[in-house]
DNA sequence: AAAACGGGGGC
DNA sequence: GCCCCAGTTTT
């Protein structure tokens, strides 16, 4: 995909994204701790389930202090349907404890510091930076990785390679919108196994129509 | 680079 | 039962 067509593709997707139901990153706001929480819960979990669990948790314990006030059992019960709930509950409590003890209860706005937190990798750290702190960062999950490779915009093997390639190539104005926009696109049209190319509005720009994963 | 980690929900 | 699912850590 050429740079010119990339711009057209982003513009078309921006136009039609209102047709799609809001997902987690598009509906939960910019609070850095809640973005962090939703990312921990989202691991190998359907987005609808992640979204609902994050909303339930926000109603009861929206801050690190609140997380530590409730028991691990109660926390597990709230997030239960996301799966791996024991491990995720432990991770959330550890993160809350570290934020309180080392960062005055605030989420750091620095990549290296974020990556030190347990259960936080590049996808999560970069998403917090871009969504909550409006910093130039690119959060690459499996959706972004799959889509930009199908487009032929990059040719990469892993999400980390994709992040590097996009940092080199992607014009800065798109850094803020690529994740929220392309995750929606990946959930509704450019699906992993059965991409819905027959209803894709940017099919003409895609170099690998119908390629799985 | 690949495997391990370790669960619910839809069908 | 078998498949899917915003990933991170360890080998």
């Amino acid at each position: 995909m050429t740079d010119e067509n990339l711009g057209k593709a982003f513009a078309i997707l921006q136009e039609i994204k209102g047709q799609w139901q809001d997902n987690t990153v598009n509906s939960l706001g910019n609070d850095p701790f809640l973005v962090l929480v939703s990312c921990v819960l989202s691991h190998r979990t359907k987005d609808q389930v992640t979204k609902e669990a994050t909303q339930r948790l926000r109603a009861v314990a929206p801050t690190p202090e609140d997380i530590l006030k409730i028991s691990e059992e109660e926390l597990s019960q709230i997030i239960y349907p996301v799966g791996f709930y024991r491990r995720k509950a432990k991770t959330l409590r550890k993160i809350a404890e570290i934020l309180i003890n080392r960062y005055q209860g605030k989420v750091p706005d620095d990549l290296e510091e974020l990556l030190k937190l347990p259960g936080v990798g590049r996808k999560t750290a970069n998403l917090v930076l871009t969504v909550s702190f409006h910093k130039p960062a690119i959060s690459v999950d499996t959706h972004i990785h799959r889509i930009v490779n199908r487009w032929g915009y990059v040719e990469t093997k892993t999400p980390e390679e994709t992040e590097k390639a996009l940092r080199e190539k992607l014009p800065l104005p798109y850094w803020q919108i690529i994740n929220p926009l392309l995750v929606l696109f990946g959930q509704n049209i450019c699906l992993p196994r059965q991409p819905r190319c027959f209803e894709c509005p940017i099919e003409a720009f895609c170099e690998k129509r119908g390629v799985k994963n």
Side-chain angles (χ1 to χ4, degrees):
Chain A
M1 184 181 284
T2 63
D3 288 326
E4 191 189 346
N5 285 343
L6 182 89
K8 290 180 186 170
F10 270 98
I12 291 170
L13 294 179
Q14 287 273 46
E15 284 289 316
I16 65 165
K17 70 176 178 187
Q19 299 171 7
W20 299 323
Q21 190 182 2
D22 279 340
N23 60 16
T24 303
V25 70
N26 284 285
S27 64
L28 253 52
N30 296 351
D31 181 274
F33 185 64
L34 286 175
V35 174
L36 210 43
V37 166
S38 73
C39 284
V40 170
L41 299 184
S42 74
H43 146 85
R44 287 198 177 173
T45 301
K46 288 188 167 60
D47 187 71
Q48 178 75 12
V49 177
T50 301
K51 185 171 84 171
E52 290 166 1
T54 309
Q55 286 167 340
R56 282 198 301 279
L57 188 52
R58 176 173 61 182
V60 177
T63 69
E65 291 80 1
D66 298 326
I67 293 285
L68 293 184
K69 271 185 222 155
I70 63 178
S71 66
E72 191 172 316
E73 293 71 38
E74 187 178 352
L75 180 55
S76 296
Q77 195 175 321
I78 293 168
I79 68 175
Y80 172 76
V82 300
F84 306 116
Y85 54 89
R86 287 189 201 85
R87 192 179 64 192
K88 290 175 181 177
K90 283 185 171 62
T91 299
L92 289 179
R93 288 179 67 84
K94 269 188 238 159
I95 290 175
E97 200 179 333
I98 293 170
L99 290 181
I100 290 168
N101 290 338
R102 310 205 114 65
Y103 300 97
Q104 295 81 46
K106 303 289 183 192
V107 177
D109 63 350
D110 176 83
L111 180 65
E112 296 308 318
E113 297 302 314
L114 285 165
L115 290 175
K116 288 180 190 167
L117 299 171
V120 174
R122 300 196 67 84
K123 176 258 173 186
T124 297
N126 281 312
L127 192 66
V128 170
L129 288 177
T130 179
V131 168
S132 300
F133 297 116
H134 308 291
K135 296 214 166 186
I138 302 176
S139 171
V140 176
D141 57 23
T142 52
H143 285 303
I144 313 297
H145 177 61
R146 176 181 73 253
I147 292 167
V148 293
N149 272 284
R150 277 180 181 164
W151 282 355
Y153 189 66
V154 302
E155 285 182 36
T156 50
K157 284 294 182 195
T158 66
E160 189 165 355
E161 268 183 70
T162 301
E163 187 198 323
K164 188 165 178 288
L166 288 177
R167 278 205 308 268
E168 301 289 326
K169 256 194 109 170
L170 187 71
L172 198 56
Y174 299 124
W175 289 30
Q176 295 278 0
I177 62 169
I178 182 170
N179 185 292
L181 187 58
L182 260 48
V183 169
L184 268 182
F185 177 57
Q187 290 168 337
N188 289 281
I189 305 280
C190 204
L191 308 178
R193 308 288 166 141
Q194 293 289 141
R196 303 170 65 80
C197 304
F198 56 89
E199 61 177 85
C200 179
I202 55 173
E203 189 189 10
F205 306 136
C206 184
E207 291 175 24
K208 298 180 183 175
R209 277 184 283 283
V211 173
K212 316 287 186 219
N213 274 327

